[in-house]
Amino acid sequence: MSHVLLSNLRNLDVARAIGPLPQDLGPDVLHEWFGAGVSFLSSSERLTARYWQAVRELFSCITPHAGNGGALLNEGGIYHGCWLESTGTINAEILSRFLPSVSTSTFSAFAAHQRDDGLLPYKITAQGAAFNQIQLVSPLARSAFNHYRLNGTAGTWLAQMYQAMARYDGWISTYRNTQGTGAVEAFSTFDTGHDLSPRFWHAPDSPFKNDPSRLDPDNPLLPYIAPDLTANIACQRQYLGLIAAELGQDGGPWQQKCDASLKALFAQCYDADDGNFYDRDRHGRLVRVQSDVLLRVLACEVGDGAQFAAALDRYLLNTGKFFAKFPLTSIALDDPRFDPNVSRNSWAGPTNFLTLIRAPHAFEHHGRHVELSWIMQPILAALFAMDRFPQTLDPFTGEPGFTEAYSPSILCLLDFIERMSGILPRPDGTVWFTSLLPKPVHHRHETWETGYARTIDGSRFELINSSEGGEIHRDGHLLSRFPAGVRITLDRRGGLRAATGLTSRNVTAEILHDGQRHAIALEPNSTITWDDDEMSSSRGPGLVLPRHG
């Protein structure tokens, strides 16, 4: 099958596979996709069709001729606009690998609409910028910096974004630290985008009089010292320091601010006995709702490897907590307030696709690639079985939930395919080639072989995956052959840099690369690196197994 797949991949008419676009974007955006050379097919017609449906519907989430002069990514579904917590951060960061110009204009739109006092809009729609709440989750500074590093975006653009984000940090410090703890406070449900979450029962949806600087004086519980907001700002400050250094400035003051935020986070929101993070109300009491707040904090690069391993064991890979058949739930499964209703915008139980596209930052920061694959596999199987792209899915059945044509779930499919079976360019100048096949979750086993292509710096790379392993071709010639369950890391010219174990079994085999053979022995999550043909091994963090309660 593999040689047939390679031939079919090379002969694939991408324009025909995408089909007619739902709106006229003009030629530039479509030509940018063609320029990236991204292409996918599978031995399963269903998988191939769903991939290209995702690409087609992604274009429907892009608004032409935005106010800042470029195309703007929209949230999609019933959400007619671009939200800072998602579309303007993690969504645009993923999109950066496919349509970087759209990511640039999407990031830039928030800076362009910044208020004079430093507040960034929480969303941008056809009616203009909105400032009713802050609605923060993924750190803007990290998304923007990764986009800059990946695509070589102009330094002037980075400097403009830096100035806007630095001013925004000042606004947060001024208005969201009313108790002087050094942490960041939530004044409402919508400040964190946690609609219907029991975390915010008996708190208003919006800040007082829809003013993000004001707190309802009659609410008995608010403000909450919020762990996810505090972690966001800590990570923002860390990356503002990196950006400052990139721009030739001193990043040290930002790192000091980051350290202060982390100190406040653990002092105010961490329960060492539970190993979890909670809001603290105005009376000093912890709001003990176990939710995706934990993953939000970890995705902001908070904590060391031991803390992350403990969170995996106790919560994220625990079938009594968040590791449902289709993970990760928005509220712990054993919480009596857990509500799996997927028919509405809800963070009270359903698995949300925003959680899923935020997860890789947490897992990969600690080298937990195998454990991440246990989340990606069932989610991809669910996405392949659906006929639309919803905001939520049923954590027990994988059935699609609320809305459709939703950019986070569209990007989830594109991102997870690239992480498991595709070619993924990285901000550090390396490229991942991964040989994991998607698998069905329900009923009988099937083997779904895959083919993926990308153009990198003018060279055409192709990856063919079968049950035996992967083959990498560069400009029509075989470059590498490596076993299934392994990720090969190359530089952008195709030089071998690393091999990582991506499966729960040990892999003892051989890699053929550029005419040379390399014997490898990889444990789960372990890595072998090559530097000037010198090979060295790293055991990695080991493996945390799923647990049942």
Side-chain angles (χ1 to χ4, degrees), residues 177-456:
N177 183 27
T178 64
Q179 299 175 90
T181 64
V184 182
E185 296 162 349
F187 290 179
S188 70
T189 304
F190 291 166
D191 280 336
T192 67
H194 257 155
D195 302 53
L196 300 184
S197 172
R199 170 191 185 188
F200 284 104
W201 284 358
H202 310 296
D205 280 346
S206 297
F208 189 58
K209 296 189 176 183
N210 300 312
D211 181 346
S213 68
R214 299 186 66 183
L215 176 70
D216 184 349
D218 295 320
N219 187 277
L221 302 175
L222 297 179
Y224 280 175
I225 299 172
D228 45 350
L229 298 181
T230 306
N232 174 289
I233 295 302
C235 194
Q236 276 275 114
R237 290 170 167 177
Q238 175 188 348
Y239 277 84
L240 283 170
L242 295 174
I243 294 172
E246 180 72 15
L247 297 173
Q249 303 176 25
D250 182 8
W254 284 115
Q255 187 58 52
Q256 292 173 7
K257 290 184 176 182
C258 169
D259 293 342
S261 292
L262 291 173
K263 183 178 179 180
L265 170 66
F266 279 91
Q268 296 294 326
C269 301
Y270 185 65
D271 185 295
D273 292 334
D274 285 1
N276 211 327
F277 295 89
Y278 303 105
D279 298 300
R280 188 177 293 276
D281 71 15
R282 67 188 297 176
H283 306 288
R285 303 173 304 174
L286 293 178
V287 182
R288 295 186 180 276
V289 177
Q290 293 178 353
S291 71
D292 71 297
V293 163
L294 173 63
L295 183 62
R296 291 182 176 196
V297 170
L298 297 172
C300 289
E301 304 175 22
V302 170
D304 59 20
Q307 289 171 316
F308 189 73
L312 287 177
D313 178 62
R314 194 165 180 180
Y315 294 104
L316 300 179
L317 298 182
N318 186 338
T319 62
K321 294 292 185 180
F322 297 97
F323 198 52
K325 184 168 184 177
F326 296 90
L328 299 157
T329 59
S330 47
I331 294 292
L333 289 155
D334 62 355
D335 190 313
R337 295 160 291 196
F338 173 83
D339 178 6
N341 186 341
V342 297
S343 66
R344 56 195 177 190
N345 173 14
S346 172
W347 291 83
T351 298
N352 273 260
F353 277 98
L354 275 173
T355 296
L356 296 168
I357 62 174
R358 292 164 180 155
H361 270 302
F363 282 72
E364 291 169 355
H365 182 68
H366 297 287
R368 296 290 178 176
H369 307 285
V370 177
E371 293 89 338
L372 178 62
S373 75
W374 299 338
I375 293 167
M376 294 193 293
Q377 285 280 16
I379 296 304
L380 272 181
L383 281 166
F384 291 143
M386 297 175 189
D387 60 1
R388 56 188 172 91
F389 291 95
Q391 174 183 336
T392 60
L393 76 161
D394 189 303
F396 304 128
T397 68
E399 291 295 313
F402 185 64
T403 203
E404 60 185 355
Y406 183 64
S407 67
S409 54
I410 294 168
L411 290 164
C412 184
L413 186 145
L414 301 182
D415 180 64
F416 282 12
I417 283 179
E418 200 160 80
R419 288 181 189 280
M420 283 184 46
S421 309
I423 303 169
L424 194 157
R426 301 284 296 164
D428 65 0
T430 62
V431 185
W432 285 351
F433 296 76
T434 308
S435 185
L436 288 177
L437 294 180
K439 297 178 181 178
V441 172
H442 295 303
H443 309 303
R444 55 193 299 274
H445 174 76
E446 298 178 47
T447 298
W448 296 333
E449 297 185 343
T450 62
Y452 201 93
R454 233 185 205 286
T455 300
I456 299 174

Side-chain angles (χ1 to χ4, degrees), residues 465-494:
N465 279 322
S466 69
S467 55
E468 285 76 36
E471 282 189 357
I472 303 171
H473 297 257
R474 181 182 58 190
D475 295 329
H477 302 284
L478 179 66
L479 177 65
S480 292
R481 185 179 292 120
F482 60 103
V486 170
R487 171 177 290 152
I488 296 296
T489 300
L490 306 182
D491 62 32
R492 293 177 69 94
R493 298 183 305 275

Side-chain angles (χ1 to χ4, degrees), residues 5-155:
L5 209 59
L6 178 60
S7 176
N8 290 342
L9 182 66
R10 290 175 174 172
N11 293 322
L12 182 67
D13 185 337
V14 171
R16 184 175 180 180
I18 294 174
L21 297 182
Q23 61 182 7
D24 181 15
L25 288 171
D28 291 347
V29 175
L30 188 59
H31 287 166
E32 187 167 41
W33 184 280
F34 294 153
V38 175
S39 188
F40 171 83
L41 56 73
S42 169
S43 58
S44 164
E45 293 182 2
R46 175 66 181 171
L47 271 61
T48 303
R50 278 292 280 167
Y51 181 88
W52 292 109
Q53 180 188 355
V55 175
R56 185 164 54 253
E57 293 195 22
L58 175 64
F59 283 106
S60 75
C61 295
I62 298 173
T63 303
H65 314 304
N68 63 343
L72 191 71
L73 179 64
N74 277 245
E75 192 77 355
I78 68 162
Y79 306 101
H80 304 298
C82 179
W83 269 254
L84 180 61
E85 67 149 326
S86 51
T87 342
T89 48
I90 189 62
N91 298 20
E93 182 178 344
I94 296 171
L95 185 70
S96 177
R97 305 200 304 264
F98 304 94
L99 298 170
S101 71
V102 180
S103 295
T104 298
S105 57
T106 300
F107 291 132
S108 299
F110 286 92
H113 287 283
Q114 187 172 36
R115 278 192 342 197
D116 290 342
D117 65 356
L119 181 63
L120 293 174
Y122 82 90
K123 73 173 179 180
I124 302 168
T125 70
Q127 288 71 47
F131 298 90
N132 297 0
Q133 62 243 16
I134 57 173
Q135 202 155 341
L136 294 179
V137 182
S138 294
L140 174 61
R142 181 176 63 193
S143 294
F145 192 49
N146 283 343
H147 169 64
Y148 162 83
R149 295 174 67 208
L150 177 64
N151 294 292
T153 312

Side-chain angles (χ1 to χ4, degrees), residues 157-176:
W157 176 84
L158 186 66
Q160 291 168 355
M161 291 298 299
Y162 174 75
Q163 291 299 326
M165 292 183 293
R167 292 176 60 220
Y168 184 59
D169 185 85
W171 189 96
I172 292 290
S173 298
T174 299
Y175 294 104
R176 289 305 183 100

Side-chain angles (χ1 to χ4, degrees), residues 509-511 517-521 528 530 535:
E510 185 179 77
I511 292 174
R517 298 182 182 276
H518 306 271
I520 62 168
I528 296 171
W530 285 266
M535 189 173 78

